[in-house]
Amino acid sequence: MIVCKRVYQPAAPDDGYRVLVDRLWPRGCSKASLPLDEWLRELAPSDGVRQAFAHEPERFAAFRAAYRAELAAVPAFWQPLLERARRGTLTLLYAAHDEQFNNARVLAEFLDEQLAAPAGAAQGEFR
């Protein structure tokens, strides 16, 4: 199971494996105070894609398409997370204020589709 959670929400026992998926470290969080198992900066959207989005909901569709294309190009970065999600809860942590329009939601959607793909299907295809 894959869930998304803001880094500012308290950690919970049912969070499972907690992964920060932002390129930048969250403001106001010390590295010692944020409970997480891994920080995967390379899974975050590129600076250009992130800056073009600028957290403007009307730009989300273009952001989503561009970010999914980036993810499809680098399956080695996200495939290990599929195994985590198959074994238990995978919590994708993000710092954005908007809980609906953010990179963690796009990544979770992308990973869920990969999990649901038939065995042997070409993983990473842009859908």
Side-chain angles (χ1 to χ4, degrees), residues 3 5-6 18 26 28-29 44 53 56 58 61 63 67-68 78 91 99 105-107 111 115-118:
V3 297
K5 190 172 188 177
R6 288 194 75 219
R18 294 170 49 92
C29 288
F53 173 41
E56 298 290 337
E58 63 273 7
F63 166 77
Y67 182 33
R68 288 175 60 93
W78 49 262
T91 299
E99 295 184 11
R105 296 283 178 204
V106 176
L107 178 57
L111 293 174
L115 287 170

PDB file of all heavy atoms in Angstrom, residues 3 5-6 18 26 28-29 44 53 56 58 61 63 67-68 78 91 99 105-107 111 115-118:
ATOM      1  N   VAL A   3       0.891   5.383   0.596  1.00  0.00           N
ATOM      2  CA  VAL A   3       0.186   6.551   1.121  1.00  0.00           C
ATOM      3  C   VAL A   3       1.103   7.761   1.031  1.00  0.00           C
ATOM      4  O   VAL A   3       2.326   7.630   0.960  1.00  0.00           O
ATOM      5  CB  VAL A   3      -0.289   6.336   2.582  1.00  0.00           C
ATOM      6  CG1 VAL A   3      -1.292   5.215   2.666  1.00  0.00           C
ATOM      7  CG2 VAL A   3       0.875   6.069   3.499  1.00  0.00           C
ATOM      8  N   LYS A   5       1.971  11.622   2.798  1.00  0.00           N
ATOM      9  CA  LYS A   5       1.825  12.317   4.072  1.00  0.00           C
ATOM     10  C   LYS A   5       2.761  13.515   4.102  1.00  0.00           C
ATOM     11  O   LYS A   5       3.907  13.420   3.665  1.00  0.00           O
ATOM     12  CB  LYS A   5       2.176  11.339   5.198  1.00  0.00           C
ATOM     13  CG  LYS A   5       1.860  11.786   6.577  1.00  0.00           C
ATOM     14  CD  LYS A   5       2.093  10.622   7.546  1.00  0.00           C
ATOM     15  CE  LYS A   5       1.604  10.943   8.917  1.00  0.00           C
ATOM     16  NZ  LYS A   5       1.757   9.797   9.820  1.00  0.00           N
ATOM     17  N   ARG A   6       2.257  14.628   4.628  1.00  0.00           N
ATOM     18  CA  ARG A   6       3.125  15.799   4.787  1.00  0.00           C
ATOM     19  C   ARG A   6       4.162  15.514   5.864  1.00  0.00           C
ATOM     20  O   ARG A   6       3.865  14.864   6.869  1.00  0.00           O
ATOM     21  CB  ARG A   6       2.309  17.032   5.192  1.00  0.00           C
ATOM     22  CG  ARG A   6       1.471  17.564   4.051  1.00  0.00           C
ATOM     23  CD  ARG A   6       0.926  18.938   4.314  1.00  0.00           C
ATOM     24  NE  ARG A   6       1.996  19.921   4.173  1.00  0.00           N
ATOM     25  CZ  ARG A   6       2.143  20.980   4.964  1.00  0.00           C
ATOM     26  NH1 ARG A   6       1.321  21.201   5.960  1.00  0.00           N
ATOM     27  NH2 ARG A   6       3.133  21.832   4.757  1.00  0.00           N
ATOM     28  N   ARG A  18       9.089   4.977   5.493  1.00  0.00           N
ATOM     29  CA  ARG A  18       8.882   6.409   5.244  1.00  0.00           C
ATOM     30  C   ARG A  18       9.999   6.971   4.367  1.00  0.00           C
ATOM     31  O   ARG A  18      11.165   6.895   4.740  1.00  0.00           O
ATOM     32  CB  ARG A  18       8.821   7.160   6.570  1.00  0.00           C
ATOM     33  CG  ARG A  18       7.611   6.785   7.409  1.00  0.00           C
ATOM     34  CD  ARG A  18       7.681   7.351   8.819  1.00  0.00           C
ATOM     35  NE  ARG A  18       7.994   8.759   8.897  1.00  0.00           N
ATOM     36  CZ  ARG A  18       7.107   9.750   8.934  1.00  0.00           C
ATOM     37  NH1 ARG A  18       5.819   9.485   8.889  1.00  0.00           N
ATOM     38  NH2 ARG A  18       7.501  11.008   9.012  1.00  0.00           N
ATOM     39  N   PRO A  26      12.843  19.859   3.730  1.00  0.00           N
ATOM     40  CA  PRO A  26      11.719  20.679   4.185  1.00  0.00           C
ATOM     41  C   PRO A  26      12.123  21.770   5.173  1.00  0.00           C
ATOM     42  O   PRO A  26      12.915  21.521   6.089  1.00  0.00           O
ATOM     43  CB  PRO A  26      10.782  19.680   4.859  1.00  0.00           C
ATOM     44  CG  PRO A  26      11.300  18.335   4.556  1.00  0.00           C
ATOM     45  CD  PRO A  26      12.710  18.458   4.089  1.00  0.00           C
ATOM     46  N   GLY A  28      12.112  24.168   8.248  1.00  0.00           N
ATOM     47  CA  GLY A  28      11.695  24.029   9.634  1.00  0.00           C
ATOM     48  C   GLY A  28      11.867  22.644  10.215  1.00  0.00           C
ATOM     49  O   GLY A  28      11.477  22.407  11.350  1.00  0.00           O
ATOM     50  N   CYS A  29      12.425  21.719   9.468  1.00  0.00           N
ATOM     51  CA  CYS A  29      12.656  20.355   9.956  1.00  0.00           C
ATOM     52  C   CYS A  29      14.154  20.106  10.040  1.00  0.00           C
ATOM     53  O   CYS A  29      14.852  20.231   9.036  1.00  0.00           O
ATOM     54  CB  CYS A  29      12.069  19.313   9.009  1.00  0.00           C
ATOM     55  SG  CYS A  29      10.294  19.189   9.005  1.00  0.00           S
ATOM     56  N   ALA A  44      12.477  13.071  -7.009  1.00  0.00           N
ATOM     57  CA  ALA A  44      11.725  14.327  -7.100  1.00  0.00           C
ATOM     58  C   ALA A  44      11.777  14.847  -8.528  1.00  0.00           C
ATOM     59  O   ALA A  44      12.689  14.529  -9.295  1.00  0.00           O
ATOM     60  CB  ALA A  44      12.326  15.353  -6.143  1.00  0.00           C
ATOM     61  N   PHE A  53       5.934  24.337 -12.582  1.00  0.00           N
ATOM     62  CA  PHE A  53       4.682  24.082 -11.872  1.00  0.00           C
ATOM     63  C   PHE A  53       4.395  25.194 -10.862  1.00  0.00           C
ATOM     64  O   PHE A  53       3.283  25.727 -10.807  1.00  0.00           O
ATOM     65  CB  PHE A  53       4.756  22.722 -11.176  1.00  0.00           C
ATOM     66  CG  PHE A  53       3.618  22.394 -10.265  1.00  0.00           C
ATOM     67  CD1 PHE A  53       2.311  22.700 -10.589  1.00  0.00           C
ATOM     68  CD2 PHE A  53       3.865  21.744  -9.072  1.00  0.00           C
ATOM     69  CE1 PHE A  53       1.261  22.365  -9.732  1.00  0.00           C
ATOM     70  CE2 PHE A  53       2.833  21.410  -8.210  1.00  0.00           C
ATOM     71  CZ  PHE A  53       1.527  21.718  -8.544  1.00  0.00           C
ATOM     72  N   GLU A  56       1.060  25.869  -8.730  1.00  0.00           N
ATOM     73  CA  GLU A  56      -0.157  26.506  -9.245  1.00  0.00           C
ATOM     74  C   GLU A  56      -1.077  25.394  -9.749  1.00  0.00           C
ATOM     75  O   GLU A  56      -0.737  24.704 -10.718  1.00  0.00           O
ATOM     76  CB  GLU A  56       0.177  27.465 -10.385  1.00  0.00           C
ATOM     77  CG  GLU A  56       1.068  28.623  -9.995  1.00  0.00           C
ATOM     78  CD  GLU A  56       0.362  29.632  -9.094  1.00  0.00           C
ATOM     79  OE1 GLU A  56      -0.883  29.698  -9.112  1.00  0.00           O
ATOM     80  OE2 GLU A  56       1.073  30.343  -8.362  1.00  0.00           O
ATOM     81  N   GLU A  58      -3.572  25.202 -11.648  1.00  0.00           N
ATOM     82  CA  GLU A  58      -3.909  25.198 -13.070  1.00  0.00           C
ATOM     83  C   GLU A  58      -2.763  24.657 -13.934  1.00  0.00           C
ATOM     84  O   GLU A  58      -2.969  24.308 -15.088  1.00  0.00           O
ATOM     85  CB  GLU A  58      -4.329  26.600 -13.551  1.00  0.00           C
ATOM     86  CG  GLU A  58      -3.259  27.653 -13.452  1.00  0.00           C
ATOM     87  CD  GLU A  58      -3.171  28.364 -12.094  1.00  0.00           C
ATOM     88  OE1 GLU A  58      -3.857  27.965 -11.133  1.00  0.00           O
ATOM     89  OE2 GLU A  58      -2.391  29.308 -12.008  1.00  0.00           O
ATOM     90  N   ALA A  61      -1.715  19.642 -14.506  1.00  0.00           N
ATOM     91  CA  ALA A  61      -1.779  18.637 -15.576  1.00  0.00           C
ATOM     92  C   ALA A  61      -0.465  18.584 -16.353  1.00  0.00           C
ATOM     93  O   ALA A  61       0.056  17.497 -16.630  1.00  0.00           O
ATOM     94  CB  ALA A  61      -2.951  18.923 -16.506  1.00  0.00           C
ATOM     95  N   PHE A  63       2.455  19.624 -15.232  1.00  0.00           N
ATOM     96  CA  PHE A  63       3.449  19.139 -14.279  1.00  0.00           C
ATOM     97  C   PHE A  63       3.392  17.616 -14.177  1.00  0.00           C
ATOM     98  O   PHE A  63       4.415  16.933 -14.239  1.00  0.00           O
ATOM     99  CB  PHE A  63       3.204  19.766 -12.908  1.00  0.00           C
ATOM    100  CG  PHE A  63       3.955  19.102 -11.782  1.00  0.00           C
ATOM    101  CD1 PHE A  63       5.307  19.337 -11.603  1.00  0.00           C
ATOM    102  CD2 PHE A  63       3.312  18.234 -10.920  1.00  0.00           C
ATOM    103  CE1 PHE A  63       6.008  18.717 -10.572  1.00  0.00           C
ATOM    104  CE2 PHE A  63       4.001  17.611  -9.888  1.00  0.00           C
ATOM    105  CZ  PHE A  63       5.353  17.855  -9.723  1.00  0.00           C
ATOM    106  N   TYR A  67       6.461  15.229 -15.116  1.00  0.00           N
ATOM    107  CA  TYR A  67       7.072  14.436 -14.037  1.00  0.00           C
ATOM    108  C   TYR A  67       6.960  12.947 -14.325  1.00  0.00           C
ATOM    109  O   TYR A  67       7.916  12.193 -14.145  1.00  0.00           O
ATOM    110  CB  TYR A  67       6.424  14.799 -12.707  1.00  0.00           C
ATOM    111  CG  TYR A  67       6.990  14.093 -11.508  1.00  0.00           C
ATOM    112  CD1 TYR A  67       8.336  13.738 -11.415  1.00  0.00           C
ATOM    113  CD2 TYR A  67       6.171  13.776 -10.436  1.00  0.00           C
ATOM    114  CE1 TYR A  67       8.849  13.095 -10.307  1.00  0.00           C
ATOM    115  CE2 TYR A  67       6.682  13.131  -9.310  1.00  0.00           C
ATOM    116  CZ  TYR A  67       8.000  12.784  -9.256  1.00  0.00           C
ATOM    117  OH  TYR A  67       8.505  12.137  -8.146  1.00  0.00           O
ATOM    118  N   ARG A  68       5.812  12.493 -14.824  1.00  0.00           N
ATOM    119  CA  ARG A  68       5.661  11.076 -15.170  1.00  0.00           C
ATOM    120  C   ARG A  68       6.637  10.681 -16.272  1.00  0.00           C
ATOM    121  O   ARG A  68       7.177   9.570 -16.254  1.00  0.00           O
ATOM    122  CB  ARG A  68       4.219  10.787 -15.572  1.00  0.00           C
ATOM    123  CG  ARG A  68       3.252  10.814 -14.390  1.00  0.00           C
ATOM    124  CD  ARG A  68       1.812  10.641 -14.840  1.00  0.00           C
ATOM    125  NE  ARG A  68       1.622   9.378 -15.524  1.00  0.00           N
ATOM    126  CZ  ARG A  68       1.220   8.252 -14.932  1.00  0.00           C
ATOM    127  NH1 ARG A  68       0.952   8.251 -13.634  1.00  0.00           N
ATOM    128  NH2 ARG A  68       1.076   7.139 -15.611  1.00  0.00           N
ATOM    129  N   TRP A  78      12.908   4.187  -9.021  1.00  0.00           N
ATOM    130  CA  TRP A  78      11.662   3.911  -8.311  1.00  0.00           C
ATOM    131  C   TRP A  78      11.325   2.431  -8.161  1.00  0.00           C
ATOM    132  O   TRP A  78      10.511   2.069  -7.316  1.00  0.00           O
ATOM    133  CB  TRP A  78      10.484   4.650  -8.965  1.00  0.00           C
ATOM    134  CG  TRP A  78      10.364   4.496 -10.447  1.00  0.00           C
ATOM    135  CD1 TRP A  78      10.790   5.372 -11.394  1.00  0.00           C
ATOM    136  CD2 TRP A  78       9.773   3.406 -11.166  1.00  0.00           C
ATOM    137  NE1 TRP A  78      10.504   4.904 -12.650  1.00  0.00           N
ATOM    138  CE2 TRP A  78       9.869   3.702 -12.536  1.00  0.00           C
ATOM    139  CE3 TRP A  78       9.157   2.214 -10.778  1.00  0.00           C
ATOM    140  CZ2 TRP A  78       9.390   2.842 -13.521  1.00  0.00           C
ATOM    141  CZ3 TRP A  78       8.673   1.358 -11.754  1.00  0.00           C
ATOM    142  CH2 TRP A  78       8.798   1.673 -13.114  1.00  0.00           C
ATOM    143  N   THR A  91       5.143   4.985   2.800  1.00  0.00           N
ATOM    144  CA  THR A  91       4.667   6.350   2.993  1.00  0.00           C
ATOM    145  C   THR A  91       5.604   7.308   2.288  1.00  0.00           C
ATOM    146  O   THR A  91       6.796   7.367   2.603  1.00  0.00           O
ATOM    147  CB  THR A  91       4.562   6.694   4.498  1.00  0.00           C
ATOM    148  OG1 THR A  91       3.617   5.804   5.095  1.00  0.00           O
ATOM    149  CG2 THR A  91       4.104   8.129   4.698  1.00  0.00           C
ATOM    150  N   GLU A  99      -2.207  19.371  -0.393  1.00  0.00           N
ATOM    151  CA  GLU A  99      -2.210  17.922  -0.186  1.00  0.00           C
ATOM    152  C   GLU A  99      -2.703  17.147  -1.394  1.00  0.00           C
ATOM    153  O   GLU A  99      -2.585  15.929  -1.423  1.00  0.00           O
ATOM    154  CB  GLU A  99      -3.029  17.581   1.057  1.00  0.00           C
ATOM    155  CG  GLU A  99      -2.395  18.131   2.319  1.00  0.00           C
ATOM    156  CD  GLU A  99      -3.118  17.737   3.595  1.00  0.00           C
ATOM    157  OE1 GLU A  99      -4.006  16.868   3.555  1.00  0.00           O
ATOM    158  OE2 GLU A  99      -2.775  18.300   4.640  1.00  0.00           O
ATOM    159  N   ARG A 105       1.872  12.813  -4.754  1.00  0.00           N
ATOM    160  CA  ARG A 105       0.627  12.240  -5.289  1.00  0.00           C
ATOM    161  C   ARG A 105       0.857  11.666  -6.691  1.00  0.00           C
ATOM    162  O   ARG A 105       0.345  10.601  -7.022  1.00  0.00           O
ATOM    163  CB  ARG A 105      -0.481  13.280  -5.338  1.00  0.00           C
ATOM    164  CG  ARG A 105      -0.892  13.800  -4.002  1.00  0.00           C
ATOM    165  CD  ARG A 105      -1.753  12.834  -3.252  1.00  0.00           C
ATOM    166  NE  ARG A 105      -2.062  13.397  -1.942  1.00  0.00           N
ATOM    167  CZ  ARG A 105      -2.394  12.694  -0.898  1.00  0.00           C
ATOM    168  NH1 ARG A 105      -2.472  11.383  -0.985  1.00  0.00           N
ATOM    169  NH2 ARG A 105      -2.644  13.268   0.245  1.00  0.00           N
ATOM    170  N   VAL A 106       1.608  12.379  -7.503  1.00  0.00           N
ATOM    171  CA  VAL A 106       1.903  11.889  -8.854  1.00  0.00           C
ATOM    172  C   VAL A 106       2.750  10.620  -8.768  1.00  0.00           C
ATOM    173  O   VAL A 106       2.484   9.636  -9.460  1.00  0.00           O
ATOM    174  CB  VAL A 106       2.611  12.967  -9.701  1.00  0.00           C
ATOM    175  CG1 VAL A 106       3.007  12.417 -11.072  1.00  0.00           C
ATOM    176  CG2 VAL A 106       1.727  14.198  -9.846  1.00  0.00           C
ATOM    177  N   LEU A 107       3.741  10.622  -7.906  1.00  0.00           N
ATOM    178  CA  LEU A 107       4.590   9.444  -7.735  1.00  0.00           C
ATOM    179  C   LEU A 107       3.778   8.263  -7.224  1.00  0.00           C
ATOM    180  O   LEU A 107       3.932   7.136  -7.717  1.00  0.00           O
ATOM    181  CB  LEU A 107       5.757   9.764  -6.795  1.00  0.00           C
ATOM    182  CG  LEU A 107       6.705   8.620  -6.476  1.00  0.00           C
ATOM    183  CD1 LEU A 107       7.329   8.017  -7.729  1.00  0.00           C
ATOM    184  CD2 LEU A 107       7.785   9.083  -5.509  1.00  0.00           C
ATOM    185  N   LEU A 111       3.403   4.762  -9.151  1.00  0.00           N
ATOM    186  CA  LEU A 111       3.803   3.494  -8.542  1.00  0.00           C
ATOM    187  C   LEU A 111       2.623   2.527  -8.434  1.00  0.00           C
ATOM    188  O   LEU A 111       2.778   1.321  -8.672  1.00  0.00           O
ATOM    189  CB  LEU A 111       4.425   3.733  -7.168  1.00  0.00           C
ATOM    190  CG  LEU A 111       5.764   4.471  -7.156  1.00  0.00           C
ATOM    191  CD1 LEU A 111       6.195   4.778  -5.722  1.00  0.00           C
ATOM    192  CD2 LEU A 111       6.840   3.689  -7.897  1.00  0.00           C
ATOM    193  N   LEU A 115       2.396  -1.249  -9.931  1.00  0.00           N
ATOM    194  CA  LEU A 115       2.026  -2.418  -9.126  1.00  0.00           C
ATOM    195  C   LEU A 115       0.873  -3.189  -9.765  1.00  0.00           C
ATOM    196  O   LEU A 115       0.812  -4.414  -9.668  1.00  0.00           O
ATOM    197  CB  LEU A 115       1.649  -1.996  -7.706  1.00  0.00           C
ATOM    198  CG  LEU A 115       2.797  -1.556  -6.808  1.00  0.00           C
ATOM    199  CD1 LEU A 115       2.258  -0.932  -5.528  1.00  0.00           C
ATOM    200  CD2 LEU A 115       3.711  -2.724  -6.484  1.00  0.00           C
ATOM    201  N   ALA A 116      -0.038  -2.468 -10.396  1.00  0.00           N
ATOM    202  CA  ALA A 116      -1.211  -3.096 -11.000  1.00  0.00           C
ATOM    203  C   ALA A 116      -0.944  -3.642 -12.400  1.00  0.00           C
ATOM    204  O   ALA A 116      -1.759  -4.397 -12.934  1.00  0.00           O
ATOM    205  CB  ALA A 116      -2.356  -2.081 -11.073  1.00  0.00           C
ATOM    206  N   ALA A 117       0.191  -3.283 -12.992  1.00  0.00           N
ATOM    207  CA  ALA A 117       0.505  -3.734 -14.351  1.00  0.00           C
ATOM    208  C   ALA A 117       0.673  -5.246 -14.367  1.00  0.00           C
ATOM    209  O   ALA A 117       1.191  -5.834 -13.418  1.00  0.00           O
ATOM    210  CB  ALA A 117       1.778  -3.050 -14.845  1.00  0.00           C
ATOM    211  N   PRO A 118       0.238  -5.884 -15.440  1.00  0.00           N
ATOM    212  CA  PRO A 118       0.423  -7.329 -15.543  1.00  0.00           C
ATOM    213  C   PRO A 118       1.897  -7.709 -15.496  1.00  0.00           C
ATOM    214  O   PRO A 118       2.753  -6.943 -15.938  1.00  0.00           O
ATOM    215  CB  PRO A 118      -0.165  -7.686 -16.911  1.00  0.00           C
ATOM    216  CG  PRO A 118      -0.836  -6.465 -17.422  1.00  0.00           C
ATOM    217  CD  PRO A 118      -0.389  -5.307 -16.599  1.00  0.00           C
TER     218      PRO A 118
END
